[in-house]
Amino acid sequence: MLKHRDLIFLAVPLSVLALVAVAIGLLFHQFRAFERAYIRDARETLAQDTRFVAQVISGDLAEGDLPAIRETFAFFFGKPLRFTLVDPTGKVAADSDANADALANHADRPEIRDVAGDEDFVTRYSVTMNAWLLYHAISLDGGWVLRASLPADAVTAAIAQVRLTVILALCAGLILALGLFLYLFLRVRPHFNALQAAAVAIARGRLDTPIDVPPSGPLRELAQAIAVMGRQLRNRIRELRRERDDFDTLFNTLREPLLLIAANGEILRSNRAAAKLLGPAIQQAGFRIERTACPELVAYVRGAFSAPAVHGREIPFDDGGDAPRALLAHAVRMEREGALCLLLLLTDLTDLRRLESFRSDFVANVSHEIKTPLTAILSTVETLTETPLDDAGRAKCFDILTRQARRLNDLVHDILSLAAIERRQTAGDQAFASLSLAQAARDALTLCQDEASRRGVALALLPEPPPALTVKADPRLIEQALVNLITNALRHSGSPTVTLTLAQEGDHATLTVADQGCGIPEEHLPRLFERFYRVHKDRSRENGGTGLGLAIVKHIALLHHGAVDVRSTPGQGTAFTLTLPIG
């Protein structure tokens, strides 16, 4: 059964002869149309050039600068275009190809005489140039005339060349029409080459290469099939790339380190968290798990490949810090391209263990702090109930009970206050009100004035008057933070004066409580804001401190998106600075 393309090949010898006969008539018709169009284009080009030169010389003509016009015309010397400027009397004022003074009067030239007439173009023989020329003239201001000419043989030669080309093409067509090669070369071969080039480009990865599908012909079905295959391949690869990008995004945004390990220990893939924990070298090709310098992790991975069931295990990992990190390793066995692999997830438990230790220490510290006054209270009560005392002894016991009860009350109050502040820190946005820091500073000094007077310490607010700074804050908490800092200086510094300084630094306000007392050794400064941390434990308890005052100040600062820091020099004094954003 003959196919469509076979019928076309058989019909070509018969149809080509008829096509050539029709082509001959069409070519001669098109030649006549080309001849008319070429002459029309030549005239339009000559008219455009004439108008352009008229614009160029218009300024010089208005000023009567004929030398400048001659210099402009000199540009066209030796070129096919010739320009002539004629004054109102017919005298030639400038010419691009001849000496104007040697030329006769041009008033009788047809193109000059009929410059305002209906005939725009004149073809005649020029005695001066000894050639047939196509003339075109336009009138200028003041009766001047600009004439342009073009050798007519340039037009006729081009037409003759086209005529010769047409005749040669017809002859070649008649010869080539005798065989099937004309059809195969002009119709089949270009599409075949384009289709082959597109297929090669697609095979090399340029999937967006367009497929030229001919509207008809023996290659149409093949081109359509390749075009459909290219579209499906592009869509599939685009889908795979999107899935890969989504996987890479998910893989690398995991906070936990994740590794894909081959049976020989080679790390096939790892995310950014794993590179951050184990070092960027693990992402290099051929890196093995043994090079992580963690024997426990290596032993766990080897056991996970051999054990029938894989369980999570906590592994210590030394990253060069102060203490080893605690990692929870959990592995899942899987197949990748027919080979057994291990997907290893590492969860960092270091912060969790630190929080557990912190909670344990906090509970122990609270228990110890509560036990001390309770022990004193119980001992005093036993003394009152079991030992006969005179009035002085009973008064001393009541004084002990009062001081220890107040100490216990202060401790409970500070613990509850710290817990309340921490709850507000996790509650999100706070509804703070505008607060004048100058007024808050005065209120804090007023509250501490009685204790300062008892200790013989002078309090001062600097500068006086303080700047008008306003922040968004909780007035009660800011007052509590300032009171804690001032009280801390009164009780522990031994300074004769304590100053509170209010200032502005950029878009932040600073409140600095400074003394000129004993100062704090440098090794204690990093831990001053820890709960229950004391530089001198016995002296702090004697002065009535709970060990939570500075921790409360730190959390109040964090709640207000601020900070607190300390600077101290032993023997010269200490300065605590509370920084708050202005707003």
Side-chain angles (χ1 to χ4, degrees), residues 144-344:
W144 292 77
V145 176
L146 176 64
R147 184 187 70 177
S149 62
L150 182 69
D153 57 354
V155 178
T156 57
I159 295 175
Q161 182 66 31
V162 173
R163 183 185 293 112
L164 177 62
T165 303
V166 170
I167 294 174
L168 293 176
L170 290 176
C171 293
L174 288 174
I175 295 173
L176 295 175
L178 298 177
L180 187 59
F181 178 74
L182 178 64
Y183 173 78
L184 297 176
F185 186 82
L186 295 180
R187 295 294 305 275
V188 177
R189 185 171 179 273
H191 291 303
F192 180 82
N193 289 341
L195 190 60
Q196 182 184 17
V200 171
I202 292 175
R204 292 178 178 177
R206 299 194 295 271
L207 302 178
D208 293 332
T209 302
I211 304 298
D212 182 18
V213 180
S216 61
L219 297 178
R220 175 177 173 79
E221 295 179 3
L222 178 60
Q224 286 180 330
I226 295 179
V228 172
M229 179 189 68
R231 285 196 301 270
Q232 293 177 346
L233 188 60
R234 285 196 301 271
N235 293 335
R236 180 56 181 164
I237 291 180
R238 189 180 297 112
E239 182 180 352
L240 291 175
R241 285 176 178 172
R242 184 171 57 252
E243 292 178 356
R244 181 199 62 189
D245 293 342
D246 293 343
F247 175 78
D248 288 343
T249 301
L250 178 62
F251 190 74
N252 285 301
T253 52
L254 287 175
R255 298 182 60 184
E256 289 80 10
L258 190 63
L259 302 98
L260 183 63
I261 305 173
N264 62 356
E266 180 182 353
I267 297 179
L268 304 176
R269 191 161 188 176
S270 59
N271 62 355
R272 281 195 290 265
K276 183 178 180 181
L277 176 68
L278 303 175
I282 67 170
Q283 295 184 329
Q284 298 176 358
F287 189 92
R288 300 172 69 89
I289 191 67
E290 290 82 358
R291 294 171 56 189
T292 57
C294 183
E296 293 83 358
L297 182 60
V298 175
Y300 175 76
V301 170
R302 290 175 178 173
F305 275 109
S306 59
V310 183
H311 303 283
R313 182 190 304 171
E314 187 170 333
I315 295 173
F317 177 74
D318 188 2
D319 61 351
D322 297 335
R325 305 178 70 88
L327 301 179
L328 176 62
H330 186 80
V332 176
R333 292 192 297 183
M334 56 183 293
E335 286 192 4
R336 183 175 184 262
E337 298 178 357
L340 182 63
C341 296
L342 198 70
L343 188 63
L344 179 64

Side-chain angles (χ1 to χ4, degrees), residues 8 54 90 102 194 210 238 283 288 326 330 357 373 378 411 413 445 474 479 489 527 558:
I8 292 178
R238 189 180 297 112
Q283 295 184 329
R288 300 172 69 89
H330 186 80
S357 176
L378 290 174
L411 179 61
H413 178 271
L445 290 174
D474 185 321
E479 180 184 279
R527 301 189 61 188
L558 294 177

